[in-house]
Amino acid sequence: MLLLAAVLLSVGCREKGIRTEYGTRTGYGARSVNGTTVLGQMFEDAGHRVRSWRLMSPSLAKADVIVYFPSESQPLSTDAVAWLDDWLRYSYDDDTYELQEKTLIVVGRAYSAEEFYWRETQPRAPAGLKTEYAAKLRKAQLDGPLGSGTGGKGTVGDWYDLTAPGTTSKVTTLTGPWSIGVDASKAAIEQSGTVFPNKSLDVLLADGAGHPLVSELIYSEDDEWSSDGSSVLVIENGSFLLNASVVNHEHRKLAGRVVDYAGAPEKDVVFLESDASPTISDTDPNQNPPTGFELFRIWPIGAVLAQAAALGIVFALAQFPIFGVPRRLERPALTDFSKHVTALSRLLSATRDRAFASGLVRKYFTERRQ
Amino acid sequence: MTGSPTLRLCGCARLRFCALLLVALSAGVAGADDLTEPDVAIEAGKEALSEQWDLPWYDDQSDDFAPVNLPKPKKRSKPWPIWDWFDGLFSGFGWNFGDVLIFLLWIVVAGLLLWLIVAMIRAYQETEQVAAATAAEEFDAKAHLQRVEALPVTLAEKVDNYLQAARDAYDSGDLSKAIVYLFSHELLELDRAARLRLVKGKTNRQYLSELRRGVGPSPRLADILARTVRLFEAAFFGAHPPTREAFEDCWQEATEFERLLAVEEATA
């Protein structure tokens, strides 16, 4: 037990520090500096209903706003783009059959708030941990914006082109309508020239060199069947939207703009938590309590059940072979006189003649006495 | 009559006024949440951060980053340079000595678990074996008792081993008792080997006949039993104890009897 405790203790020690999971709003990743919990909370506080989803399924199609932080810097799959384009253009209200306006917010992956956190906390590092803080910063800088991932390049629908992240640089000047009231010198927005919006998109925010940081595309009515007013917001990266980024006041102003972009309150805002190739499904996963074998796939019930099953298999194996000397079946007693009486009475009853039977018995006893 | 429409109009006007007031109020509230306003957005961000109660890296009092705790560097005293040497051994695999130690501990835990399972299975086997052996002994004892009860003779004293009892009686010179014990032994053994069925009331001739013409006849065993029967009947019913030579002949044949029975039992 002591050994086990020591092992658990040593494992627990590794929890010190910060979590860095990217783009998650719930679960363990909610505490991550790269999470989207705070942005989701801002949406909620603005009066929207917020939830997270992992599939492109009917449940996601019901959303009014999809906030998509792909977990890898790869072009979205063709199927995913087609699904989103279809959702933006041809979403109908189930009751009124009227076209609905949808909003898609896509945020590029080429940023990690880990370096930002360690850089900001260097001056406040506890005494005795300054070296560790410096080492953490160095490691975050070495890992770069994608951590252990690699960046791909390609075209994402009619929206933007994606390239592998170049050298990351701090944005010192902001231009565009969204730059009003934002002091770039106090912000820590970064860009690595990864997302290049299509020329048809309107730039809402750009750096001093004109590289778009936030762009929008408002869909116009192509035909009578398509939506007029759906929009796509393409954001270079999450350097002003991720959990740790929102600590900066200038970033909050831009995050507020993004939340405001969703429109009037009570929208169904869904954070799509997936890689660049989300699974597309015609049905939603079953939300009912899992039964049978499905329970094995749920942590920690699965772990407990697996051990119970293993114990059950061991027990079954222990029962299966015949261990030890086989038992002997008891032989029928040959000296039990009552069996003779029973057999005789069965024979007599087979005659179905009570008088005959009793007469025979009487005769037996009479002759025996003589 | 003229007053009532006026009153109704007033009521409608009041309702309209209230509705407008509500709209104006809600518009005012919405205006307060206008996130395009820098100050509103800053407050909204602070509020959203403060509502996350488990962010170790954020201090909602100062509305700024909070330094997190990190594992303190391990200070190793000079007498432990071997630790670094161990670390170096496994650095090629991306492990340090602590990782290896934890891995080994897990192996030990797994081994202990395996040992526990094996020990449980063995204990279960032993329990089953003991239970089966006890049941077999009880069954044998019960069957033995039934056979003894079915013997043609009823003995006063309790005997566990009739062959040994026959030898003891022979040694003490009581040849009548010795032949009774030897005969009982042979009958019991024949019944145990299913060569005949001991039943109270059967005559010795029936036993011999059963042995000669029953299922799997054994003429030689029948001959041996017949010799013993003759001596037994003379001693038990006729009160003529067997001579020492006659008993010894039977005793010699008892050895062959055992051997034949064992062979036939093995080949059955």
Side-chain angles (χ1 to χ4, degrees):
Chain A
M1 290 306 288
L2 281 172
L3 288 175
L4 196 63
V7 169
L8 290 174
L9 204 63
S10 63
V11 171
C13 288
R14 292 181 182 180
E15 292 297 319
K16 287 184 177 175
I18 56 171
R19 300 193 75 94
T20 57
E21 291 92 340
Y22 183 86
T24 50
R25 196 182 69 84
T26 54
Y28 290 121
R31 302 168 62 190
S32 165
V33 290
N34 287 321
T36 55
T37 325
V38 179
L39 183 64
Q41 190 65 53
M42 288 179 75
F43 272 106
E44 271 193 61
D45 292 344
H48 300 295
R49 298 183 301 277
V50 181
R51 59 193 168 98
S52 299
W53 203 247
R54 293 183 184 279
L55 306 174
M56 285 183 162
S57 67
S59 177
L60 184 69
K62 288 176 187 166
D64 298 312
V65 179
I66 293 177
V67 183
Y68 188 12
F69 283 77
S71 59
E72 56 184 1
S73 185
Q74 298 288 341
L76 304 187
S77 69
T78 312
D79 289 342
V81 172
W83 192 97
L84 289 168
D85 192 60
D86 201 49
W87 174 75
L88 287 162
R89 289 178 190 274
Y90 305 110
S91 288
Y92 289 89
D93 187 285
D94 288 340
D95 300 323
T96 61
Y97 299 104
E98 288 182 357
L99 281 164
Q100 292 179 311
E101 289 179 10
K102 304 287 188 182
T103 303
L104 171 66
I105 299 170
V106 189
V107 183
R109 168 65 181 89
Y111 179 77
S112 171
E114 192 181 352
E115 183 191 337
F116 176 54
Y117 171 78
W118 292 119
R119 193 171 57 238
E120 290 290 312
T121 51
Q122 288 297 308
R124 282 168 279 172
L129 288 176
K130 292 204 179 289
T131 315
E132 277 63 40
Y133 267 62
K136 288 281 184 187
L137 176 60
R138 271 198 307 276
K139 185 175 181 304
Q141 285 169 335
L142 280 174
D143 287 346
L146 300 182
S148 56
T150 54
K153 62 177 183 178
T155 301
V156 180
D158 296 331
W159 305 331
Y160 61 91
D161 291 328
L162 189 81
T163 61
T167 308
T168 304
S169 59
K170 185 176 180 296
V171 175
T172 53
T173 314
L174 290 170
T175 59
W178 280 24
S179 66
I180 298 168
V182 182
D183 186 348
S185 63
K186 291 180 182 174
I189 300 169
E190 292 181 5
Q191 66 98 353
S192 51
T194 311
V195 176
F196 292 88
N198 196 307
K199 297 291 182 193
S200 60
L201 271 71
D202 297 322
V203 177
L204 300 176
L205 186 71
D207 65 4
H211 178 76
L213 299 173
V214 181
S215 310
E216 74 166 342
L217 172 67
I218 297 177
Y219 279 63
S220 57
E221 191 176 353
D222 288 341
D223 50 56
E224 59 180 313
W225 306 111
S226 65
S227 176
D228 184 19
S230 291
S231 58
V232 179
L233 195 67
V234 178
I235 300 174
E236 163 79 13
N237 58 45
S239 60
F240 53 88
L241 295 174
L242 296 174
N243 282 349
S245 306
V246 181
V247 173
N248 183 295
H249 290 198
E250 303 308 311
H251 295 176
R252 287 179 193 174
K253 296 173 187 174
L254 293 171
R257 293 254 183 200
V258 172
V259 173
D260 183 69
Y261 194 81
E266 298 193 5
K267 291 275 173 60
D268 185 19
V269 179
V270 180
F271 279 70
L272 177 59
E273 295 179 356
S274 170
D275 55 16
S277 305
T279 305
I280 298 173
S281 170
D282 290 335
T283 55
D284 289 319
N286 187 9
Q287 297 293 305
N288 294 328
T291 54
F293 286 106
E294 286 177 4
L295 282 170
F296 279 86
R297 298 172 62 185
I298 298 172
W299 173 263
I301 301 171
V304 175
L305 281 180
Q307 292 179 59
L311 196 62
I313 289 169
V314 169
F315 179 74
L317 288 173
Q319 287 289 318
F320 177 65
I322 301 171
F323 291 125
V325 182
R327 289 179 181 160
R328 291 183 189 175
L329 292 176
E330 192 171 351
R331 289 184 196 170
L334 300 173
T335 56
D336 188 354
F337 185 72
S338 67
K339 287 187 175 177
H340 172 68
V341 175
T342 308
L344 185 64
S345 60
R346 196 172 290 137
L347 279 173
L348 290 175
S349 68
T351 63
R352 296 179 178 280
D353 189 342
R354 185 181 178 83
F356 170 75
S358 58
L360 198 68
V361 172
R362 201 178 304 113
K363 185 182 174 189
Y364 169 75
F365 281 110
T366 312
E367 286 181 358
R368 192 166 179 268
R369 202 175 295 127
Q370 288 168 355
Chain B
M1 288 297 286
T2 53
S4 57
T6 314
L7 279 173
R8 267 204 297 275
L9 275 173
C10 284
C12 289
R14 276 196 198 119
L15 278 172
R16 231 175 267 137
F17 174 75
C18 289
L20 283 171
L21 193 65
L22 277 171
V23 169
L25 279 172
S26 59
V29 170
D33 288 332
D34 184 3
L35 291 167
T36 56
E37 289 293 326
D39 292 341
V40 176
I42 289 170
E43 276 308 304
K46 182 184 179 184
E47 200 174 322
L49 278 161
S50 302
E51 286 177 61
Q52 314 306 315
W53 56 271
D54 57 348
L55 299 179
W57 43 264
Y58 175 70
D59 178 17
D60 58 350
Q61 299 298 319
S62 61
D63 188 22
D64 205 346
F65 284 119
V68 295
N69 195 14
L70 288 176
K72 289 194 175 176
K74 294 168 188 170
K75 290 179 182 173
R76 289 173 198 151
S77 52
K78 294 237 171 175
W80 289 91
I82 195 166
W83 191 273
D84 293 327
W85 182 75
F86 274 125
D87 273 354
L89 273 181
F90 304 104
S91 61
F93 303 99
W95 286 16
N96 58 34
F97 185 57
D99 292 334
V100 174
L101 208 60
I102 289 170
F103 180 70
L104 290 176
L105 281 177
W106 276 117
I107 288 180
V108 170
V109 170
L112 282 173
L113 199 65
L114 197 66
W115 174 81
L116 193 67
I117 291 171
V118 171
M120 280 171 67
I121 291 174
R122 281 191 179 162
Y124 177 76
Q125 282 178 335
E126 284 173 10
T127 310
E128 284 289 294
Q129 279 176 349
V130 168
T134 309
E137 280 175 13
E138 283 175 4
F139 177 75
D140 286 346
K142 197 173 173 184
H144 182 72
L145 196 64
Q146 283 180 346
R147 286 190 194 106
V148 170
E149 283 174 356
L151 279 173
V153 290
T154 307
L155 300 168
E157 65 270 34
K158 186 175 179 295
V159 179
D160 288 329
N161 188 337
Y162 281 83
L163 194 63
Q164 185 60 42
R167 169 170 282 283
D168 293 344
Y170 172 75
D171 290 343
S172 64
D174 189 350
L175 295 177
S176 295
K177 195 178 271 186
I179 196 66
V180 169
Y181 283 140
L182 182 61
F183 174 61
S184 300
H185 165 73
E186 288 178 356
L187 281 183
L188 288 172
E189 288 300 303
L190 287 166
D191 180 78
R192 194 183 59 76
R195 310 306 307 172
L196 51 78
R197 287 198 298 178
L198 264 177
V199 178
K200 196 82 174 169
K202 266 191 187 177
T203 63
N204 293 338
R205 296 293 171 271
Q206 282 175 307
Y207 286 136
L208 287 171
S209 171
E210 195 174 349
L211 205 52
R212 283 200 177 94
R213 289 185 288 278
V215 183
S218 305
R220 180 58 190 149
L221 282 173
D223 290 343
I224 295 169
L225 183 66
R227 194 186 303 280
T228 312
V229 164
R230 275 197 295 279
L231 290 183
F232 162 73
E233 287 179 344
F236 194 74
F237 299 116
H240 291 295
T243 60
R244 186 167 289 271
E245 292 75 23
F247 180 81
E248 281 176 356
D249 285 346
C250 285
W251 185 257
Q252 292 299 323
E253 284 180 330
T255 313
E256 189 187 357
F257 175 85
E258 298 285 342
R259 187 177 53 77
L260 278 173
L261 209 57
V263 169
E264 290 192 8
E265 213 169 355
T267 55

